[in-house]
Amino acid sequence: SSEISVSTPFAIGSRVILRSIDDKSEKPDYAVELNATNFDSVLKETPAAYAVVEFFAHWCPACRNYKPQYEKIAKIFNGADAVHPGIILMTRVDCALKINTDLCDKFSVGHYPMLLWGPPSKFVSGSWNPKQEKSEIRSIDDGRTADRLLNWINKQLSSSYRLDDEKFENDQLQKNASDIGQIARAIYDIEEATSTAFDIILDHKMIKSETQASLVKFFQLLVVHHPSRRCRKGTSEILVDFDDFSSNKKETDSAGEKGALRNYQICGKDVPRGYWMFCRGSKNETRGFSCGLWVLLHSLSVRVDDGESQMAFTTICDFIHSFFICEECRQHFYSMCSSVSSPFKKSREFVLWLWDTHNKVNKRLMKEEASLGTGDPEYPKIIWPPRQLCPSCYLSGSGKNDGNSRIEWDHDEVYKFLMGYYGKTLVTLYKDKELLVEKRADGVLAEDLAVSASAHAVVVPVGAALAIAVASCAFGALACYWRQHQKSRKYKYLHSLKNI
Ligand SMILES: Cc1cc2nc3c(=O)[nH]c(=O)nc-3n(C[C@H](O)[C@H](O)[C@H](O)COP(=O)(O)OP(=O)(O)OC[C@H]3O[C@@H](n4cnc5c(N)ncnc54)[C@H](O)[C@@H]3O)c2cc1C
């Protein structure tokens, strides 16, 4: 610094130079900067099981020196390129900013930098003080270097993370196949798969006059039965405006159409995150999207009512046929759809059909992957669920699930298991508690009732998507209803604007 001050006679100039030297050496921050306005929402939304919050002050020299150490750890855990994403969220709060004064007080920040550790939900609207007993938030007393901080974390989690772990050395596999709770992490993959599917459809310009009806029907299914509330919301927004894209289709080039739909975030602004949790493979190229898609389909199947089951079946078959870009997969799946001779009357039949169909795919892939070596070695295909996951699904003494022996299933137990697994268990970890809004006996959600109460007249605009919506009211009753009301609100709004 003495060199700089000698060569630069003006104090302001030297500051500028210092800053620019600094900028050049500055790497992107991996830790998420939080403040009083986003602290609760970021910690509420994160899929990570733990959070570290570093309280610091930007003027504090010790904090500046500590930053590269902390960043080394943040790089391992935060973001799409992280080696171990979605497990720990690394954050920081600048207590020197006025806006954060109360927040830092609530967490009894007495020195800088100060690190706290705990489940993210415990930080939301939370507080901490050093004398508090039985708090799930703990002070990290030995995190002065990256190595020591990682050691501290490893002790908490009985893990063996290392600073030089490389991408996709995924050592945190869900090795314990009998751990039913693992599926709770899949809610985030279902969101990821929904958003990825939407991106693929746009990237490959797959919305054509002959595929559009399939997409609208699938969106209707999502609006009503997607297990994530923000995906239901995002899909409904697309559905409401869908006519506008399709009616302008002839005039707009595909880039324009794609561009317009690109403005929609089907599962909200935080998705896609760029990584998988339940569906994370041991290699970059395995599992991921196709696993997430299966889990989405199963989670939809357990949520439809008896009267909707046939419609949900054809909707899923058509969607996969039109939009699943894996040619072999969509052909195989569609031929299995086509072999169903009589319509489903009960959702139980549909749930079990999807389960059995998935097992047929597993069985075929077991042989293929063994001979070609294309599977994920850590996740060999099995006839599912394994006995450890659902002992009662197996009639006593029936065969092994290696694809060769015949298993005698207790279908009542399998159905019960699937309903629990993809139903309640799937959403137990989900942070968006509004998701758990009670359904009324007639299946109408409170949020939809709020809409109906505020919308008076039903003005039905004539459009392709709406025509399809009306035609598919078997399960779309709520979706059509919701859409018509939204549409009517929008048109009324536009009309009132025109009149101004
Ligand atoms: C509709 C569809 C058709 C496909 N067809 C093909 C194909 O023809 N050829 C091909 O190479 N790949 C196909 N794939 C991809 C393939 O099935 C797997 O998704 C992929 O190999 C990744 O496998 P995975 O180990 O992650 O488990 P996946 O098979 O993707 O399963 C995801 C998760 O679902 C659960 N699960 C497994 N079996 C069942 C079941 N029977 N019922 C309920 N839950 C279950 C397990 O927890 C599993 O981890 C298809 C995918 C989809 C969505």
Side-chain angles (χ1 to χ4, degrees):
S1 68
S2 62
E3 278 170 23
I4 291 166
S5 57
V6 170
S7 61
T8 50
F10 304 109
I12 292 175
S14 69
R15 255 206 315 269
V16 171
I17 289 171
L18 270 175
R19 195 181 307 132
S20 74
I21 290 169
D22 219 31
D23 285 348
K24 274 187 204 122
S25 64
E26 207 147 21
K27 298 184 194 111
D29 281 356
Y30 292 96
V32 178
E33 183 100 20
L34 299 179
N35 60 46
T37 57
N38 66 359
F39 188 82
D40 280 358
S41 63
V42 171
L43 287 161
K44 189 176 153 206
E45 292 289 331
T46 179
Y50 297 95
V52 178
V53 185
E54 180 206 15
F55 294 94
F56 76 106
H58 59 259
W59 49 257
C60 145
C63 304
R64 274 184 78 88
N65 293 340
Y66 181 57
K67 187 174 175 185
Q69 302 291 322
Y70 191 71
E71 279 294 303
K72 276 190 199 169
I73 307 298
K75 188 178 175 199
I76 301 178
F77 295 111
N78 278 11
D81 290 328
V83 192
H84 305 292
I87 298 161
I88 302 169
L89 182 71
M90 303 288 296
T91 67
R92 62 165 64 89
V93 174
D94 184 351
C95 294
L97 299 179
K98 266 224 145 45
I99 180 181
N100 295 329
T101 306
D102 288 348
L103 181 64
C104 297
D105 276 355
K106 280 204 313 180
F107 289 95
S108 312
V109 179
H111 59 271
Y112 300 129
M114 181 180 111
L115 305 184
L116 293 183
W117 160 272
S121 60
K122 300 293 165 192
F123 286 97
V124 177
S125 313
S127 63
W128 178 82
N129 79 64
K131 292 186 195 114
Q132 196 174 331
E133 279 173 27
K134 288 191 187 158
S135 171
E136 283 187 62
I137 296 179
R138 297 184 50 198
S139 158
I140 300 179
D141 47 15
D142 192 13
R144 295 299 304 168
T145 62
D147 278 317
R148 290 166 80 153
L149 178 55
L150 198 54
N151 273 345
W152 192 94
I153 291 172
N154 279 332
K155 267 192 208 146
Q156 305 308 304
L157 301 182
S158 309
S159 52
S160 49
Y161 300 123
R162 290 157 41 121
L163 283 173
D164 56 1
D165 281 350
E166 284 178 18
K167 189 146 177 64
F168 277 101
E169 275 181 6
N170 186 3
D171 59 349
Q172 297 298 306
L173 298 172
Q174 46 157 139
K175 293 252 167 60
N176 187 356
S178 61
D179 181 1
I180 198 166
Q182 293 284 353
I183 192 67
R185 288 150 58 86
I187 183 73
Y188 298 102
D189 291 350
I190 293 179
E191 294 184 327
E192 195 76 6
T194 308
S195 168
T196 305
F198 188 52
D199 283 349
I200 292 174
I201 289 169
L202 295 182
D203 287 347
H204 292 85
K205 304 188 176 71
M206 292 165 95
I207 308 176
K208 310 221 166 76
S209 52
E210 64 275 17
T211 58
Q212 179 182 306
S214 309
L215 189 61
V216 170
K217 281 205 299 177
F218 192 68
F219 279 169
Q220 287 189 320
L221 182 58
L222 300 189
V223 166
V224 187
H225 292 303
H226 199 293
S228 150
R229 184 178 187 269
R230 56 186 149 192
C231 299
R232 292 201 301 273
K233 187 166 177 288
T235 315
S236 76
E237 282 160 12
I238 298 173
L239 205 50
V240 164
D241 288 341
F242 201 87
D243 281 345
D244 300 345
F245 306 119
S246 44
S247 58
N248 292 337
K249 215 173 168 200
K250 288 201 182 71
E251 293 112 64
T252 13
D253 57 15
S254 55
E257 178 204 341
K258 188 178 126 184
L261 273 169
R262 273 264 176 248
N263 296 333
Y264 289 81
Q265 288 158 318
I266 193 164
C267 291
K269 64 176 173 30
D270 297 324
V271 189
R273 298 179 185 85
Y275 58 84
W276 302 91
M277 305 213 28
F278 175 81
C279 286
R280 185 168 154 84
S282 67
K283 299 182 193 168
N284 194 359
E285 64 281 3
T286 56
R287 307 197 77 214
F289 177 57
S290 56
C291 167
L293 193 55
W294 272 125
V295 180
L296 168 65
L297 301 184
H298 290 296
S299 76
L300 291 169
S301 77
V302 300
R303 285 172 170 78
V304 301
D305 296 333
D306 286 348
E308 303 168 332
S309 49
Q310 175 63 16
M311 181 59 74
F313 162 71
T314 55
T315 298
I316 284 176
C317 289
D318 288 347
F319 177 77
I320 294 294
H321 192 227
S322 304
F323 298 108
F324 194 20
I325 208 148
C326 158
E327 184 61 24
E328 175 193 295
C329 309
R330 66 189 202 97
Q331 294 294 355
H332 277 151
F333 191 74
Y334 204 68
S335 70
M336 290 187 282
C337 288
S338 308
S339 65
V340 174
S341 49
S342 49
F344 293 109
K345 293 205 176 64
K346 298 268 178 210
S347 63
R348 178 185 187 277
E349 296 165 15
F350 172 50
V351 168
L352 288 174
W353 175 83
L354 191 64
W355 160 75
D356 185 49
T357 300
H358 191 169
N359 267 341
K360 285 184 176 136
V361 175
N362 293 344
K363 190 168 177 178
R364 196 174 51 231
L365 293 186
M366 255 181 219
K367 293 185 190 126
E368 262 180 51
E369 289 180 354
S371 61
L372 300 172
T374 46
D376 188 322
E378 299 290 343
Y379 294 89
K381 296 280 179 306
I382 52 162
I383 301 301
W384 194 93
R387 211 182 275 267
Q388 307 97 295
L389 206 54
C390 180
S392 61
C393 291
Y394 290 72
L395 285 175
S396 56
S398 70
K400 285 196 261 170
N401 49 4
D402 56 5
N404 296 322
S405 36
R406 194 176 151 71
I407 299 170
E408 300 283 339
W409 296 105
D410 182 332
H411 286 107
D412 284 340
E413 288 297 316
V414 173
Y415 175 64
K416 216 161 80 185
F417 171 75
L418 291 167
M419 293 301 284
Y421 191 75
Y422 287 113
K424 268 210 177 109
T425 317
L426 178 80
V427 295
T428 43
L429 267 190
Y430 200 58
K431 304 283 164 53
D432 188 349
K433 291 297 175 220
E434 288 170 73
L435 174 87
L436 304 173
V437 165
E438 289 267 302
K439 261 197 172 187
R440 287 170 18 137
D442 55 5
V444 178
L445 287 167
E447 66 196 73
D448 301 306
L449 285 172
V451 173
S452 74
S454 60
H456 304 299
V458 180
V459 183
V460 183
V462 181
L466 189 72
I468 297 157
V470 171
S472 63
C473 268
F475 73 60
L478 181 54
C480 291
Y481 174 75
W482 156 271
R483 189 165 178 284
Q484 285 171 10
H485 282 290
Q486 288 293 315
K487 219 30 186 180
S488 106
R489 289 162 107 206
K490 182 181 156 202
Y491 276 69
K492 276 198 252 168
Y493 176 66
L494 290 177
H495 190 67
S496 65
L497 282 184
K498 273 189 206 138
N499 287 344
I500 290 173

